[in-house]
Amino acid sequence: MHTSVDPSFMSRRFDFNEALTKESLIRCYRASPELFARKGNDESFGLKTPKKEKFVKRDSKAQPPVEAPYVPPKSQRTTKPISDKTIEIFEGMTVVELAKRTGKSISTLQGILTNVGEKVGTEFDPLSMEVVELIAMEVGINIKRLHSNEGSEILPRPPVVTVMGHVDHGKTSLLDALRQTSVAAKEAGGITQHLGAFVVGMTSGASITFLDTPGHAAFSAMRARGAAVTDIVVLVVAADDGVMPQTLEAMAHAKAANVPIVVAINKCDKPAANPERIRIQLASEGLMLEDMGGDVQVVEVSAMKKTGLDNLEEALLLQAEIMDLKARIDGPAHAYVVEARLDKGKGPLVTAIVKGGTLLCGQYVVVGSEWGRIRAIRDMAEKLVEKARPAMPIEIEGLKGLPRAGDDIIVVESEERARMLSAGRKKKFEKDRLIKIVEERASEEQDKKLSVGSKNKFEKDRHMKIIDERAEAQQPETSEEEPKRVEVPIIVKADVQGTVQAVTDALLNLNSPQIMLHRVIYHLLEDIGNFIVDKAPGTPETKVAGEAEVLSIFELKGRSKSKGPDVKIAGCRVIDGFVTKSGILRLLRSGEVVFEGSCESLKREKQDVDTVKKGNECGLVIHNYDDFRVGDMVQCLEQVIRKPKFVSSESGAARIEC
């Protein structure tokens, strides 16, 4: 059955309900029973009756105030802090997966894709790792690349061994003995100045890639990079010297990188050699040696006599066999920069070690924030090769700029992609650098304000009183001034990038942001340290120049108006240092400071003098003070400029003490 409804009737019903809803808030009126009978029909047309809210009576009683300690508001950060969040990315990652890891919406990530010029498909389309890295940089999140071995050819590879230890313990000499070369003779000052990579062919037919890292304390960062790309660490300790600071530092780097250690006790041919003492020292430092129930192998060698080298070779190959070292052979290469230098004819040259995949000549690569196309690949014998496989140290040519040691090498598919990723990394690097500078300056300003605000009120009042007294006496004022800064522009030049960074770190460790041509870093630090001490403005401070004891008190009475009022003179003997008329005099009684003021008169044998030295007697008058007593002590204070001192140790470490 079809039922029709009069439109005018419906209009009247809607108008009535609308009026009911509005008017019910301010007044009540009587409704007919027929209206409520039609309630079901109203709801069928989409109309709902307003629900009644439950009335809750509020407590009108006044609550007592809650006593709580005052908490000052936190200082607002003026800059956005550098993000410390790191996510793992991989080839073929989708927008959905990236959104989950970054915590950003899919639409936000798709908008970034459009801004970087990438084609936006569905949220399930795979993305390349460089595109994912660009997106992560835009949202301010750090990334870690994961390289999948699925579907790739996995084969055994040679181990990468890093040689570490204290300076002059024979690391380079040990490598020379293994490869029958003489690198140490070519090194300035007899020490290794930069990190090098070499392939050593063993008598057993196996090959091992060695990293020779410097032992000087200033090259800590370089040894840390070596431990990051290595499989095994050879810790060299001299049998006639023992465990030294850089030995412990090398152990810390290896443990931080979770790399197994093989100990080589060198110089066992010397008369003063004591290998057992070295074992005890290493064990006391927490190294679990194999001789004492641990898993760390110990080999006694002599680089000069070429003894024990076979045992070291067996230990390294055994450790590599236990680790079952394998790597992906095919696919894009993943490598690390060991060293970088600028050649006048070839341009930027990068020494690298391939960790996985195969690096081919002609590929576009992004190295840190630099990019380029590989023009040539050379092995350690400087022979041109077409490709490089895992654990192979090589030198590549063709980058547009000089990267930093420790940067990773990434293969990209096109020049456009390489340019885009390089520009994005440079932008992020510069942004993080500026943020760090702003945060450091803000921290310095905050510390300065706190330091000024925390001064003792008594000290402030005392200094103000002395200043007023000096103004009355019309004497020159020598108030404390803030330390001055002298900025000296320094240019550091070296043959390789890692050495530049190491020298810069060493200079920063001198506790002063303050640098000449040097071939050995010992001489560099010494000369620069003395240079800083000479150029530093120093710190103004007040020190006690001398002390005098009050032996008697004299009083001059009946003086004329032209000569001034009556005066009390303290007869003193200088017992330490000297007393000057231009200094500030501090009167002490029973060890307590009674008064401080300027010297109004200083005489010796009735003659006005400027200085009275130790052992002599004098008469002095302190401005606006005459309550002297026998036995009082008078200290003479003077303003001096304290210069910093350059301090060096036998291990090569250097610092500046302010």
Side-chain angles (χ1 to χ4, degrees):
M1 178 183 290
H2 178 70
T3 305
S4 62
V5 181
D6 185 5
S8 61
F9 171 73
M10 289 297 300
S11 175
R12 289 195 301 273
R13 289 184 61 189
F14 282 124
D15 294 342
F16 175 76
N17 278 278
E18 183 179 358
L20 175 62
T21 304
K22 294 180 179 179
E23 296 296 331
S24 63
L25 299 176
I26 57 176
R27 63 180 181 176
C28 298
Y29 52 86
R30 191 181 184 86
S32 63
E34 291 80 6
L35 179 64
F36 294 98
R38 293 197 299 269
K39 178 180 180 182
N41 295 332
D42 291 343
E43 292 180 352
S44 65
F45 286 102
L47 301 177
K48 293 184 180 180
T49 306
K51 295 181 180 180
K52 293 184 178 180
E53 299 291 340
K54 186 176 180 181
F55 177 75
V56 180
K57 184 177 180 181
R58 294 183 177 179
D59 190 3
S60 60
K61 294 182 180 180
Q63 298 293 333
V66 179
E67 295 184 1
Y70 171 72
V71 179
K74 295 183 179 180
S75 58
Q76 299 293 328
R77 300 180 70 95
T78 57
T79 60
K80 185 178 179 180
I82 301 174
S83 175
D84 56 355
K85 183 178 180 181
T86 302
I87 64 172
E88 294 180 341
I89 66 172
F90 49 86
E91 192 73 27
M93 199 174 189
T94 64
V95 177
V96 174
E97 181 68 24
L98 187 58
K100 291 179 182 178
R101 300 192 179 213
T102 60
K104 305 296 181 181
S105 64
I106 295 177
S107 59
T108 300
L109 301 185
Q110 288 179 334
I112 296 175
L113 279 172
T114 304
N115 292 336
V116 298
E118 289 294 320
K119 183 179 179 181
V120 181
T122 67
E123 58 267 30
F124 300 101
D125 290 346
L127 302 173
S128 63
M129 269 206 278
E130 52 266 22
V131 173
V132 175
E133 182 177 344
L134 284 172
I135 297 175
M137 286 191 293
E138 287 294 326
V139 298
I141 295 178
N142 302 319
I143 59 99
K144 179 181 179 182
R145 289 175 169 249
L146 296 180
H147 297 269
S148 175
N149 295 330
E150 185 177 355
S152 301
E153 184 182 7
I154 309 298
L155 295 177
R157 64 169 177 84
V160 179
V161 178
T162 298
V163 181
M164 294 184 176
H166 191 72
V167 62
D168 198 30
H169 275 201
K171 299 178 300 298
T172 306
S173 299
L174 182 60
L175 283 176
D176 290 341
L178 287 170
R179 59 187 176 147
Q180 295 297 316
T181 58
S182 182
V183 174
K186 301 176 184 178
E187 294 288 354
I191 66 172
T192 304
Q193 296 294 319
H194 52 77
L195 186 152
F198 312 95
V199 177
V200 177
M202 298 298 180
T203 56
S204 61
S207 63
I208 299 177
T209 300
F210 281 95
L211 294 182
D212 180 21
T213 61
H216 191 274
F219 291 84
S220 173
M222 296 173 67
R223 287 200 301 274
R225 287 197 301 274
V229 298
T230 194
D231 301 311
I232 306 171
V233 165
V234 173
L235 183 63
V236 179
V237 187
D240 62 338
D241 196 0
V243 176
M244 301 298 286
Q246 276 70 56
T247 309
L248 301 177
E249 194 176 354
M251 290 170 53
H253 286 312
K255 290 180 179 179
N258 196 22
V259 178
I261 298 175
V262 174
V263 177
I265 303 180
N266 194 20
K267 302 184 181 181
C268 291
D269 58 307
K270 288 195 171 185
N274 189 350
E276 287 303 320
R277 181 173 64 91
I278 304 302
R279 287 181 168 88
I280 295 174
Q281 290 178 347
L282 292 173
S284 65
E285 296 295 339
L287 203 61
M288 305 303 294
L289 304 182
E290 197 174 49
D291 301 345
M292 302 179 181
D295 56 356
V296 177
Q297 301 181 72
V298 181
V299 182
E300 297 181 10
V301 298
S302 171
M304 298 300 295
K305 300 291 184 179
K306 296 182 175 57
T307 58
L309 301 183
D310 294 340
N311 297 333
L312 179 60
E313 173 189 342
E314 292 177 3
L316 293 176
L317 294 179
L318 175 61
Q319 185 65 50
E321 184 179 352
I322 295 173
M323 299 173 68
D324 191 22
L325 299 173
K326 294 182 179 180
R328 170 177 55 88
I329 302 300
D330 53 353
H334 181 218
Y336 288 99
V337 176
V338 174
E339 201 52 271
R341 62 189 178 93
L342 189 62
D343 186 87
K344 292 182 179 180
K346 301 175 183 178
L349 298 178
V350 174
T351 303
I353 287 185
V354 180
K355 293 291 289 184
T358 301
L359 189 65
L360 302 175
C361 189
Q363 288 181 326
Y364 289 98
V365 292
V366 178
V367 186
S369 58
E370 304 295 338
W371 73 280
R373 186 179 184 183
I374 300 178
R375 291 197 303 264
I377 301 177
R378 296 179 180 85
D379 60 13
M380 287 297 99
E382 297 187 356
K383 294 181 180 179
L384 290 174
V385 294
E386 290 296 325
K387 58 185 177 181
R389 291 195 169 188
M392 180 177 177
I394 55 171
E395 185 177 73
I396 62 176
E397 174 187 339
L399 294 183
K400 303 295 182 182
L402 196 66
R404 297 179 299 171
D407 287 343
D408 56 347
I409 301 175
I410 301 166
V411 178
V412 294
E413 59 188 23
S414 65
E415 179 181 346
E416 181 184 2
R417 189 64 58 80
R419 288 178 180 270
M420 183 170 58
L421 183 57
S422 173
R425 287 185 173 186
K426 286 181 179 179
K427 180 180 178 182
K428 183 179 184 300
F429 177 79
E430 184 65 18
K431 180 180 178 182
D432 293 347
R433 187 184 69 85
L434 293 176
I435 289 176
K436 186 177 180 180
I437 291 175
V438 172
E439 288 182 345
E440 288 177 353
R441 289 181 178 177
S443 178
E444 290 177 0
E445 290 294 329
Q446 186 69 16
D447 294 342
K448 184 178 178 181
K449 291 179 181 179
L450 292 175
S451 176
V452 173
S454 62
K455 280 189 176 180
N456 190 286
K457 185 177 182 300
F458 172 77
E459 293 291 330
K460 290 184 179 180
D461 295 342
R462 182 172 60 83
H463 283 294
M464 291 302 297
K465 184 176 181 181
I466 295 175
I467 291 173
D468 293 341
E469 291 176 355
R470 288 178 177 173
E472 292 176 2
Q474 294 183 355
Q475 293 190 3
E477 179 181 335
T478 57
S479 60
E480 291 187 2
E481 298 180 358
E482 292 188 4
K484 296 180 180 179
R485 295 185 61 182
V486 177
E487 295 186 0
V488 181
I490 300 295
I491 297 177
V492 181
K493 288 187 177 182
D495 55 345
V496 289
Q497 184 74 8
T499 303
V500 173
Q501 183 177 350
V503 170
T504 305
D505 293 342
L507 293 175
L508 292 176
N509 288 335
L510 289 177
N511 306 332
S512 181
Q514 328 244 337
I515 284 187
M516 328 179 169
L517 174 60
H518 286 279
R519 301 186 67 194
V520 180
I521 197 169
Y522 304 134
H523 306 155
L524 167 71
L525 293 180
E526 183 179 357
D527 286 353
I528 292 298
N530 294 328
F531 175 75
I532 294 172
V533 169
D534 181 60
K535 292 293 183 181
T539 304
E541 65 177 18
T542 302
K543 69 174 243 181
V544 178
E547 287 186 336
E549 182 182 3
V550 178
L551 303 178
S552 58
I553 301 169
F554 306 96
E555 187 173 1
L556 297 179
K557 292 185 177 181
R559 305 180 73 190
S560 62
K561 292 183 179 180
S562 60
K563 294 184 179 181
D566 297 344
V567 176
K568 280 191 176 181
I569 302 173
C572 306
R573 178 185 289 115
V574 180
I575 60 176
D576 187 29
F578 56 87
V579 176
T580 63
K581 186 176 181 180
S582 60
I584 298 297
L585 300 183
R586 175 189 291 169
L587 186 71
L588 288 84
R589 183 171 298 154
S590 300
E592 298 291 332
V593 178
V594 178
F595 186 80
E596 278 190 14
S598 58
C599 180
E600 187 173 301
S601 176
L602 180 64
K603 292 189 177 184
R604 182 171 178 266
E605 296 179 355
K606 299 183 180 181
Q607 298 292 327
D608 290 328
V609 293
D610 294 329
T611 304
V612 179
K613 296 182 179 180
K614 178 181 178 180
N616 296 317
E617 295 183 354
C618 63
L620 57 85
V621 177
I622 301 179
H623 185 68
N624 286 344
Y625 188 80
D626 58 4
D627 187 19
F628 296 107
R629 296 183 186 178
V630 175
D632 288 349
M633 298 296 296
V634 179
Q635 291 182 341
C636 179
L637 309 179
E638 67 171 354
Q639 285 282 337
V640 296
I641 301 298
R642 180 168 54 86
K643 285 278 192 176
K645 294 188 301 181
F646 175 77
V647 180
S648 62
S649 62
E650 294 182 357
S651 63
R655 68 183 187 277
I656 289 181
E657 293 183 353
C658 297

